[in-house]
Amino acid sequence: MPVVTIMAPLPGTFYRSPSPGEPVFKSEGDAVAVGDMVGLIEVMKSFTPVVAEEAGTLKAFHVENEDAVMAGQPLLDLDA
């Protein structure tokens, strides 16, 4: 299976869930469909969804919840 890496579309803080205490959008091993939200990036209280552009299985995250990320930084890998 080819591996597809989802990159950060902009710099900010990466979140794996919609708010503290809520379940994560996706976990390792979860099926991911095109358009599924896999995280959020927050910049100055503005939240940008990170969505999958390809379907697959979530293989691994490269960053932790609430990590600071830069534009173009790998966030997670999918087995497509």
Side-chain angles (χ1 to χ4, degrees):
M1 288 185 164
V3 174
V4 175
T5 301
I6 296 179
M7 308 290 203
L10 69 165
T13 303
F14 179 73
Y15 292 99
R16 290 184 56 186
S17 64
S19 61
E22 294 288 319
V24 295
F25 295 110
K26 296 288 181 180
S27 295
E28 287 88 351
D30 285 354
V32 177
V34 173
D36 278 359
M37 191 178 312
V38 295
L40 291 170
I41 295 182
E42 182 261 329
V43 180
M44 298 177 63
K45 303 299 179 199
S46 176
F47 292 87
T48 300
V50 178
V51 297
E53 295 181 2
E54 294 193 39
T57 301
L58 202 159
K59 182 175 179 178
F61 281 93
H62 291 279
V63 296
E64 297 295 326
N65 188 50
E66 299 184 13
D67 275 358
V69 297
M70 298 303 297
Q73 179 177 344
L75 297 177
L76 58 101
D77 289 336
L78 296 177
D79 279 330

mmCIF file of all heavy atoms in Angstrom, residues 7-53:
data_model
loop_
_atom_site.group_PDB
_atom_site.id
_atom_site.type_symbol
_atom_site.label_atom_id
_atom_site.label_comp_id
_atom_site.label_asym_id
_atom_site.label_seq_id
_atom_site.Cartn_x
_atom_site.Cartn_y
_atom_site.Cartn_z
ATOM 1 N N MET A 7 -0.097 16.921 5.268
ATOM 2 C CA MET A 7 0.742 18.006 5.758
ATOM 3 C C MET A 7 -0.105 19.114 6.381
ATOM 4 O O MET A 7 -1.279 19.283 6.035
ATOM 5 C CB MET A 7 1.551 18.603 4.607
ATOM 6 C CG MET A 7 2.322 17.601 3.807
ATOM 7 S SD MET A 7 3.677 16.928 4.754
ATOM 8 C CE MET A 7 4.744 16.382 3.456
ATOM 9 N N ALA A 8 0.516 19.887 7.251
ATOM 10 C CA ALA A 8 -0.155 21.044 7.848
ATOM 11 C C ALA A 8 -0.358 22.106 6.766
ATOM 12 O O ALA A 8 0.596 22.482 6.089
ATOM 13 C CB ALA A 8 0.671 21.610 8.989
ATOM 14 N N PRO A 9 -1.596 22.586 6.597
ATOM 15 C CA PRO A 9 -1.843 23.600 5.573
ATOM 16 C C PRO A 9 -1.363 24.994 5.985
ATOM 17 O O PRO A 9 -1.197 25.863 5.129
ATOM 18 C CB PRO A 9 -3.364 23.574 5.406
ATOM 19 C CG PRO A 9 -3.880 23.064 6.713
ATOM 20 C CD PRO A 9 -2.833 22.143 7.244
ATOM 21 N N LEU A 10 -1.162 25.217 7.278
ATOM 22 C CA LEU A 10 -0.714 26.519 7.775
ATOM 23 C C LEU A 10 -0.084 26.324 9.140
ATOM 24 O O LEU A 10 -0.268 25.291 9.776
ATOM 25 C CB LEU A 10 -1.882 27.509 7.858
ATOM 26 C CG LEU A 10 -2.965 27.265 8.906
ATOM 27 C CD1 LEU A 10 -3.804 28.524 9.054
ATOM 28 C CD2 LEU A 10 -3.880 26.139 8.494
ATOM 29 N N PRO A 11 0.678 27.308 9.619
ATOM 30 C CA PRO A 11 1.285 27.187 10.946
ATOM 31 C C PRO A 11 0.246 27.438 12.038
ATOM 32 O O PRO A 11 -0.714 28.180 11.818
ATOM 33 C CB PRO A 11 2.358 28.274 10.945
ATOM 34 C CG PRO A 11 1.869 29.293 9.978
ATOM 35 C CD PRO A 11 1.077 28.533 8.932
ATOM 36 N N GLY A 12 0.451 26.809 13.179
ATOM 37 C CA GLY A 12 -0.454 27.012 14.308
ATOM 38 C C GLY A 12 -0.329 25.883 15.309
ATOM 39 O O GLY A 12 0.694 25.212 15.383
ATOM 40 N N THR A 13 -1.397 25.636 16.052
ATOM 41 C CA THR A 13 -1.446 24.564 17.046
ATOM 42 C C THR A 13 -2.365 23.472 16.528
ATOM 43 O O THR A 13 -3.500 23.741 16.158
ATOM 44 C CB THR A 13 -1.953 25.094 18.403
ATOM 45 O OG1 THR A 13 -1.108 26.166 18.815
ATOM 46 C CG2 THR A 13 -1.943 24.001 19.459
ATOM 47 N N PHE A 14 -1.854 22.229 16.520
ATOM 48 C CA PHE A 14 -2.625 21.090 16.007
ATOM 49 C C PHE A 14 -3.445 20.462 17.126
ATOM 50 O O PHE A 14 -2.936 20.221 18.226
ATOM 51 C CB PHE A 14 -1.679 20.043 15.418
ATOM 52 C CG PHE A 14 -2.379 18.828 14.890
ATOM 53 C CD1 PHE A 14 -3.107 18.893 13.711
ATOM 54 C CD2 PHE A 14 -2.325 17.629 15.559
ATOM 55 C CE1 PHE A 14 -3.768 17.774 13.221
ATOM 56 C CE2 PHE A 14 -2.971 16.499 15.080
ATOM 57 C CZ PHE A 14 -3.696 16.580 13.906
ATOM 58 N N TYR A 15 -4.714 20.217 16.834
ATOM 59 C CA TYR A 15 -5.602 19.552 17.793
ATOM 60 C C TYR A 15 -6.196 18.306 17.145
ATOM 61 O O TYR A 15 -6.644 18.342 16.006
ATOM 62 C CB TYR A 15 -6.751 20.485 18.220
ATOM 63 C CG TYR A 15 -6.283 21.651 19.035
ATOM 64 C CD1 TYR A 15 -6.090 22.895 18.448
ATOM 65 C CD2 TYR A 15 -6.034 21.523 20.391
ATOM 66 C CE1 TYR A 15 -5.650 23.978 19.187
ATOM 67 C CE2 TYR A 15 -5.596 22.593 21.140
ATOM 68 C CZ TYR A 15 -5.402 23.815 20.544
ATOM 69 O OH TYR A 15 -4.962 24.878 21.284
ATOM 70 N N ARG A 16 -6.221 17.204 17.918
ATOM 71 C CA ARG A 16 -6.786 15.947 17.423
ATOM 72 C C ARG A 16 -8.271 15.806 17.731
ATOM 73 O O ARG A 16 -8.919 14.896 17.241
ATOM 74 C CB ARG A 16 -6.029 14.761 18.023
ATOM 75 C CG ARG A 16 -4.609 14.647 17.473
ATOM 76 C CD ARG A 16 -3.901 13.437 17.984
ATOM 77 N NE ARG A 16 -4.663 12.215 17.688
ATOM 78 C CZ ARG A 16 -4.321 11.008 18.129
ATOM 79 N NH1 ARG A 16 -3.247 10.860 18.876
ATOM 80 N NH2 ARG A 16 -5.058 9.957 17.838
ATOM 81 N N SER A 17 -8.833 16.693 18.569
ATOM 82 C CA SER A 17 -10.261 16.628 18.914
ATOM 83 C C SER A 17 -10.865 18.029 18.800
ATOM 84 O O SER A 17 -10.148 19.028 18.818
ATOM 85 C CB SER A 17 -10.455 16.074 20.326
ATOM 86 O OG SER A 17 -9.900 16.931 21.283
ATOM 87 N N PRO A 18 -12.221 18.105 18.704
ATOM 88 C CA PRO A 18 -12.862 19.411 18.530
ATOM 89 C C PRO A 18 -12.752 20.326 19.743
ATOM 90 O O PRO A 18 -12.768 21.534 19.604
ATOM 91 C CB PRO A 18 -14.320 19.073 18.231
ATOM 92 C CG PRO A 18 -14.507 17.660 18.636
ATOM 93 C CD PRO A 18 -13.162 17.003 18.623
ATOM 94 N N SER A 19 -12.635 19.750 20.941
ATOM 95 C CA SER A 19 -12.448 20.549 22.155
ATOM 96 C C SER A 19 -11.947 19.626 23.264
ATOM 97 O O SER A 19 -12.090 18.403 23.167
ATOM 98 C CB SER A 19 -13.754 21.249 22.567
ATOM 99 O OG SER A 19 -14.760 20.296 22.849
ATOM 100 N N PRO A 20 -11.358 20.184 24.327
ATOM 101 C CA PRO A 20 -10.851 19.337 25.416
ATOM 102 C C PRO A 20 -11.950 18.437 25.982
ATOM 103 O O PRO A 20 -13.093 18.859 26.149
ATOM 104 C CB PRO A 20 -10.384 20.349 26.464
ATOM 105 C CG PRO A 20 -10.112 21.601 25.691
ATOM 106 C CD PRO A 20 -11.115 21.599 24.565
ATOM 107 N N GLY A 21 -11.613 17.185 26.210
ATOM 108 C CA GLY A 21 -12.573 16.242 26.758
ATOM 109 C C GLY A 21 -13.430 15.544 25.722
ATOM 110 O O GLY A 21 -14.140 14.588 26.033
ATOM 111 N N GLU A 22 -13.388 16.015 24.477
ATOM 112 C CA GLU A 22 -14.144 15.385 23.388
ATOM 113 C C GLU A 22 -13.303 14.262 22.770
ATOM 114 O O GLU A 22 -12.081 14.303 22.806
ATOM 115 C CB GLU A 22 -14.479 16.411 22.306
ATOM 116 C CG GLU A 22 -15.429 17.503 22.763
ATOM 117 C CD GLU A 22 -16.847 16.988 22.949
ATOM 118 O OE1 GLU A 22 -17.316 16.191 22.117
ATOM 119 O OE2 GLU A 22 -17.478 17.378 23.942
ATOM 120 N N PRO A 23 -13.963 13.264 22.168
ATOM 121 C CA PRO A 23 -13.201 12.203 21.487
ATOM 122 C C PRO A 23 -12.390 12.772 20.316
ATOM 123 O O PRO A 23 -12.782 13.760 19.708
ATOM 124 C CB PRO A 23 -14.285 11.252 20.968
ATOM 125 C CG PRO A 23 -15.530 11.612 21.698
ATOM 126 C CD PRO A 23 -15.398 13.047 22.124
ATOM 127 N N VAL A 24 -11.280 12.100 20.009
ATOM 128 C CA VAL A 24 -10.452 12.518 18.869
ATOM 129 C C VAL A 24 -11.207 12.267 17.574
ATOM 130 O O VAL A 24 -12.105 11.418 17.516
ATOM 131 C CB VAL A 24 -9.087 11.785 18.861
ATOM 132 C CG1 VAL A 24 -8.273 12.164 20.069
ATOM 133 C CG2 VAL A 24 -9.251 10.287 18.755
ATOM 134 N N PHE A 25 -10.843 13.028 16.530
ATOM 135 C CA PHE A 25 -11.465 12.838 15.218
ATOM 136 C C PHE A 25 -11.156 11.440 14.686
ATOM 137 O O PHE A 25 -12.039 10.727 14.225
ATOM 138 C CB PHE A 25 -10.975 13.887 14.212
ATOM 139 C CG PHE A 25 -11.386 15.290 14.557
ATOM 140 C CD1 PHE A 25 -10.457 16.218 14.975
ATOM 141 C CD2 PHE A 25 -12.710 15.682 14.461
ATOM 142 C CE1 PHE A 25 -10.831 17.513 15.284
ATOM 143 C CE2 PHE A 25 -13.101 16.978 14.774
ATOM 144 C CZ PHE A 25 -12.150 17.892 15.189
ATOM 145 N N LYS A 26 -9.882 11.063 14.720
ATOM 146 C CA LYS A 26 -9.438 9.757 14.216
ATOM 147 C C LYS A 26 -8.267 9.267 15.072
ATOM 148 O O LYS A 26 -7.486 10.058 15.595
ATOM 149 C CB LYS A 26 -8.966 9.849 12.759
ATOM 150 C CG LYS A 26 -10.050 10.225 11.769
ATOM 151 C CD LYS A 26 -11.029 9.098 11.549
ATOM 152 C CE LYS A 26 -12.098 9.489 10.536
ATOM 153 N NZ LYS A 26 -13.054 8.411 10.318
ATOM 154 N N SER A 27 -8.158 7.950 15.175
ATOM 155 C CA SER A 27 -7.047 7.308 15.885
ATOM 156 C C SER A 27 -6.314 6.386 14.922
ATOM 157 O O SER A 27 -6.840 6.029 13.865
ATOM 158 C CB SER A 27 -7.578 6.476 17.062
ATOM 159 O OG SER A 27 -8.180 7.290 18.027
ATOM 160 N N GLU A 28 -5.083 5.973 15.306
ATOM 161 C CA GLU A 28 -4.336 5.024 14.499
ATOM 162 C C GLU A 28 -5.184 3.779 14.270
ATOM 163 O O GLU A 28 -5.829 3.276 15.181
ATOM 164 C CB GLU A 28 -3.016 4.645 15.188
ATOM 165 C CG GLU A 28 -1.969 5.739 15.148
ATOM 166 C CD GLU A 28 -2.070 6.707 16.316
ATOM 167 O OE1 GLU A 28 -3.058 6.650 17.081
ATOM 168 O OE2 GLU A 28 -1.159 7.542 16.463
ATOM 169 N N GLY A 29 -5.195 3.298 13.034
ATOM 170 C CA GLY A 29 -5.963 2.114 12.674
ATOM 171 C C GLY A 29 -7.358 2.410 12.155
ATOM 172 O O GLY A 29 -8.012 1.533 11.600
ATOM 173 N N ASP A 30 -7.827 3.656 12.322
ATOM 174 C CA ASP A 30 -9.162 4.036 11.850
ATOM 175 C C ASP A 30 -9.185 4.182 10.327
ATOM 176 O O ASP A 30 -8.209 4.631 9.723
ATOM 177 C CB ASP A 30 -9.613 5.369 12.451
ATOM 178 C CG ASP A 30 -10.034 5.264 13.901
ATOM 179 O OD1 ASP A 30 -10.101 4.140 14.438
ATOM 180 O OD2 ASP A 30 -10.298 6.329 14.503
ATOM 181 N N ALA A 31 -10.322 3.823 9.739
ATOM 182 C CA ALA A 31 -10.546 4.083 8.316
ATOM 183 C C ALA A 31 -10.786 5.577 8.131
ATOM 184 O O ALA A 31 -11.443 6.217 8.949
ATOM 185 C CB ALA A 31 -11.743 3.291 7.818
ATOM 186 N N VAL A 32 -10.222 6.128 7.065
ATOM 187 C CA VAL A 32 -10.371 7.546 6.746
ATOM 188 C C VAL A 32 -10.913 7.653 5.323
ATOM 189 O O VAL A 32 -10.355 7.056 4.397
ATOM 190 C CB VAL A 32 -9.014 8.286 6.855
ATOM 191 C CG1 VAL A 32 -9.147 9.740 6.445
ATOM 192 C CG2 VAL A 32 -8.452 8.167 8.270
ATOM 193 N N ALA A 33 -11.999 8.389 5.147
ATOM 194 C CA ALA A 33 -12.589 8.614 3.828
ATOM 195 C C ALA A 33 -12.183 10.001 3.326
ATOM 196 O O ALA A 33 -11.807 10.876 4.116
ATOM 197 C CB ALA A 33 -14.107 8.516 3.907
ATOM 198 N N VAL A 34 -12.262 10.194 2.031
ATOM 199 C CA VAL A 34 -11.992 11.519 1.463
ATOM 200 C C VAL A 34 -12.948 12.519 2.109
ATOM 201 O O VAL A 34 -14.147 12.278 2.217
ATOM 202 C CB VAL A 34 -12.185 11.499 -0.067
ATOM 203 C CG1 VAL A 34 -12.078 12.901 -0.646
ATOM 204 C CG2 VAL A 34 -11.172 10.568 -0.712
ATOM 205 N N GLY A 35 -12.414 13.620 2.608
ATOM 206 C CA GLY A 35 -13.221 14.656 3.238
ATOM 207 C C GLY A 35 -13.367 14.508 4.742
ATOM 208 O O GLY A 35 -13.890 15.407 5.400
ATOM 209 N N ASP A 36 -12.907 13.386 5.317
ATOM 210 C CA ASP A 36 -12.968 13.220 6.773
ATOM 211 C C ASP A 36 -12.044 14.215 7.457
ATOM 212 O O ASP A 36 -10.908 14.422 7.020
ATOM 213 C CB ASP A 36 -12.544 11.810 7.199
ATOM 214 C CG ASP A 36 -13.634 10.782 7.076
ATOM 215 O OD1 ASP A 36 -14.762 11.136 6.673
ATOM 216 O OD2 ASP A 36 -13.348 9.598 7.377
ATOM 217 N N MET A 37 -12.528 14.812 8.548
ATOM 218 C CA MET A 37 -11.695 15.705 9.336
ATOM 219 C C MET A 37 -10.786 14.856 10.226
ATOM 220 O O MET A 37 -11.253 13.965 10.922
ATOM 221 C CB MET A 37 -12.543 16.650 10.187
ATOM 222 C CG MET A 37 -11.712 17.755 10.813
ATOM 223 S SD MET A 37 -12.640 18.954 11.796
ATOM 224 C CE MET A 37 -13.989 19.369 10.761
ATOM 225 N N VAL A 38 -9.490 15.126 10.169
ATOM 226 C CA VAL A 38 -8.528 14.369 10.969
ATOM 227 C C VAL A 38 -7.890 15.231 12.059
ATOM 228 O O VAL A 38 -7.152 14.736 12.898
ATOM 229 C CB VAL A 38 -7.436 13.717 10.090
ATOM 230 C CG1 VAL A 38 -8.044 12.662 9.179
ATOM 231 C CG2 VAL A 38 -6.682 14.759 9.280
ATOM 232 N N GLY A 39 -8.172 16.521 12.045
ATOM 233 C CA GLY A 39 -7.626 17.425 13.054
ATOM 234 C C GLY A 39 -8.019 18.856 12.767
ATOM 235 O O GLY A 39 -8.728 19.144 11.794
ATOM 236 N N LEU A 40 -7.564 19.729 13.651
ATOM 237 C CA LEU A 40 -7.778 21.175 13.507
ATOM 238 C C LEU A 40 -6.452 21.881 13.746
ATOM 239 O O LEU A 40 -5.632 21.412 14.540
ATOM 240 C CB LEU A 40 -8.765 21.688 14.566
ATOM 241 C CG LEU A 40 -10.220 21.263 14.471
ATOM 242 C CD1 LEU A 40 -10.956 21.679 15.738
ATOM 243 C CD2 LEU A 40 -10.866 21.904 13.262
ATOM 244 N N ILE A 41 -6.273 23.004 13.065
ATOM 245 C CA ILE A 41 -5.137 23.875 13.356
ATOM 246 C C ILE A 41 -5.695 25.222 13.774
ATOM 247 O O ILE A 41 -6.517 25.812 13.066
ATOM 248 C CB ILE A 41 -4.178 24.008 12.162
ATOM 249 C CG1 ILE A 41 -3.547 22.640 11.880
ATOM 250 C CG2 ILE A 41 -3.113 25.068 12.447
ATOM 251 C CD1 ILE A 41 -2.551 22.628 10.762
ATOM 252 N N GLU A 42 -5.243 25.677 14.951
ATOM 253 C CA GLU A 42 -5.724 26.939 15.528
ATOM 254 C C GLU A 42 -4.653 28.005 15.402
ATOM 255 O O GLU A 42 -3.488 27.779 15.715
ATOM 256 C CB GLU A 42 -6.092 26.721 16.998
ATOM 257 C CG GLU A 42 -6.644 27.960 17.674
ATOM 258 C CD GLU A 42 -5.602 28.700 18.492
ATOM 259 O OE1 GLU A 42 -4.683 28.073 19.021
ATOM 260 O OE2 GLU A 42 -5.725 29.933 18.588
ATOM 261 N N VAL A 43 -5.069 29.158 14.893
ATOM 262 C CA VAL A 43 -4.209 30.332 14.808
ATOM 263 C C VAL A 43 -5.021 31.512 15.321
ATOM 264 O O VAL A 43 -6.049 31.860 14.731
ATOM 265 C CB VAL A 43 -3.751 30.608 13.353
ATOM 266 C CG1 VAL A 43 -2.851 31.832 13.305
ATOM 267 C CG2 VAL A 43 -3.073 29.404 12.749
ATOM 268 N N MET A 44 -4.619 32.093 16.423
ATOM 269 C CA MET A 44 -5.285 33.263 17.003
ATOM 270 C C MET A 44 -6.801 33.061 17.129
ATOM 271 O O MET A 44 -7.592 33.877 16.673
ATOM 272 C CB MET A 44 -4.956 34.507 16.174
ATOM 273 C CG MET A 44 -3.474 34.822 16.182
ATOM 274 S SD MET A 44 -3.015 36.229 15.167
ATOM 275 C CE MET A 44 -3.907 37.526 15.987
ATOM 276 N N LYS A 45 -7.196 31.939 17.711
ATOM 277 C CA LYS A 45 -8.604 31.583 17.976
ATOM 278 C C LYS A 45 -9.424 31.315 16.712
ATOM 279 O O LYS A 45 -10.639 31.234 16.766
ATOM 280 C CB LYS A 45 -9.307 32.652 18.836
ATOM 281 C CG LYS A 45 -8.611 32.902 20.158
ATOM 282 C CD LYS A 45 -8.573 31.644 20.991
ATOM 283 C CE LYS A 45 -7.852 31.902 22.307
ATOM 284 N NZ LYS A 45 -7.403 30.673 22.947
ATOM 285 N N SER A 46 -8.758 31.172 15.576
ATOM 286 C CA SER A 46 -9.415 30.778 14.336
ATOM 287 C C SER A 46 -9.009 29.333 14.047
ATOM 288 O O SER A 46 -7.820 29.013 14.029
ATOM 289 C CB SER A 46 -8.976 31.692 13.192
ATOM 290 O OG SER A 46 -9.541 31.271 11.977
ATOM 291 N N PHE A 47 -10.006 28.451 13.839
ATOM 292 C CA PHE A 47 -9.748 27.026 13.654
ATOM 293 C C PHE A 47 -9.951 26.623 12.201
ATOM 294 O O PHE A 47 -10.995 26.897 11.615
ATOM 295 C CB PHE A 47 -10.674 26.206 14.563
ATOM 296 C CG PHE A 47 -10.346 26.368 16.015
ATOM 297 C CD1 PHE A 47 -10.888 27.411 16.756
ATOM 298 C CD2 PHE A 47 -9.475 25.497 16.646
ATOM 299 C CE1 PHE A 47 -10.577 27.582 18.094
ATOM 300 C CE2 PHE A 47 -9.163 25.646 17.988
ATOM 301 C CZ PHE A 47 -9.713 26.691 18.717
ATOM 302 N N THR A 48 -8.928 25.967 11.637
ATOM 303 C CA THR A 48 -8.969 25.490 10.259
ATOM 304 C C THR A 48 -8.989 23.968 10.274
ATOM 305 O O THR A 48 -8.106 23.343 10.865
ATOM 306 C CB THR A 48 -7.724 25.977 9.485
ATOM 307 O OG1 THR A 48 -7.711 27.401 9.496
ATOM 308 C CG2 THR A 48 -7.736 25.468 8.050
ATOM 309 N N PRO A 49 -10.010 23.351 9.651
ATOM 310 C CA PRO A 49 -10.047 21.884 9.619
ATOM 311 C C PRO A 49 -8.934 21.311 8.749
ATOM 312 O O PRO A 49 -8.581 21.892 7.718
ATOM 313 C CB PRO A 49 -11.408 21.555 9.022
ATOM 314 C CG PRO A 49 -12.050 22.828 8.647
ATOM 315 C CD PRO A 49 -11.158 23.964 9.009
ATOM 316 N N VAL A 50 -8.393 20.173 9.178
ATOM 317 C CA VAL A 50 -7.457 19.400 8.371
ATOM 318 C C VAL A 50 -8.247 18.194 7.885
ATOM 319 O O VAL A 50 -8.718 17.397 8.693
ATOM 320 C CB VAL A 50 -6.231 18.953 9.198
ATOM 321 C CG1 VAL A 50 -5.297 18.110 8.337
ATOM 322 C CG2 VAL A 50 -5.502 20.154 9.780
ATOM 323 N N VAL A 51 -8.437 18.099 6.570
ATOM 324 C CA VAL A 51 -9.259 17.026 5.997
ATOM 325 C C VAL A 51 -8.424 16.134 5.080
ATOM 326 O O VAL A 51 -7.455 16.589 4.468
ATOM 327 C CB VAL A 51 -10.484 17.580 5.231
ATOM 328 C CG1 VAL A 51 -11.415 18.325 6.151
ATOM 329 C CG2 VAL A 51 -10.054 18.462 4.088
ATOM 330 N N ALA A 52 -8.822 14.882 5.013
ATOM 331 C CA ALA A 52 -8.138 13.917 4.154
ATOM 332 C C ALA A 52 -8.541 14.143 2.703
ATOM 333 O O ALA A 52 -9.716 14.303 2.403
ATOM 334 C CB ALA A 52 -8.496 12.503 4.585
ATOM 335 N N GLU A 53 -7.557 14.154 1.830
ATOM 336 C CA GLU A 53 -7.820 14.287 0.396
ATOM 337 C C GLU A 53 -7.794 12.933 -0.292
ATOM 338 O O GLU A 53 -8.110 12.831 -1.469
ATOM 339 C CB GLU A 53 -6.814 15.243 -0.238
ATOM 340 C CG GLU A 53 -6.978 16.658 0.298
ATOM 341 C CD GLU A 53 -6.012 17.639 -0.334
ATOM 342 O OE1 GLU A 53 -5.228 17.251 -1.222
ATOM 343 O OE2 GLU A 53 -6.056 18.811 0.076
#
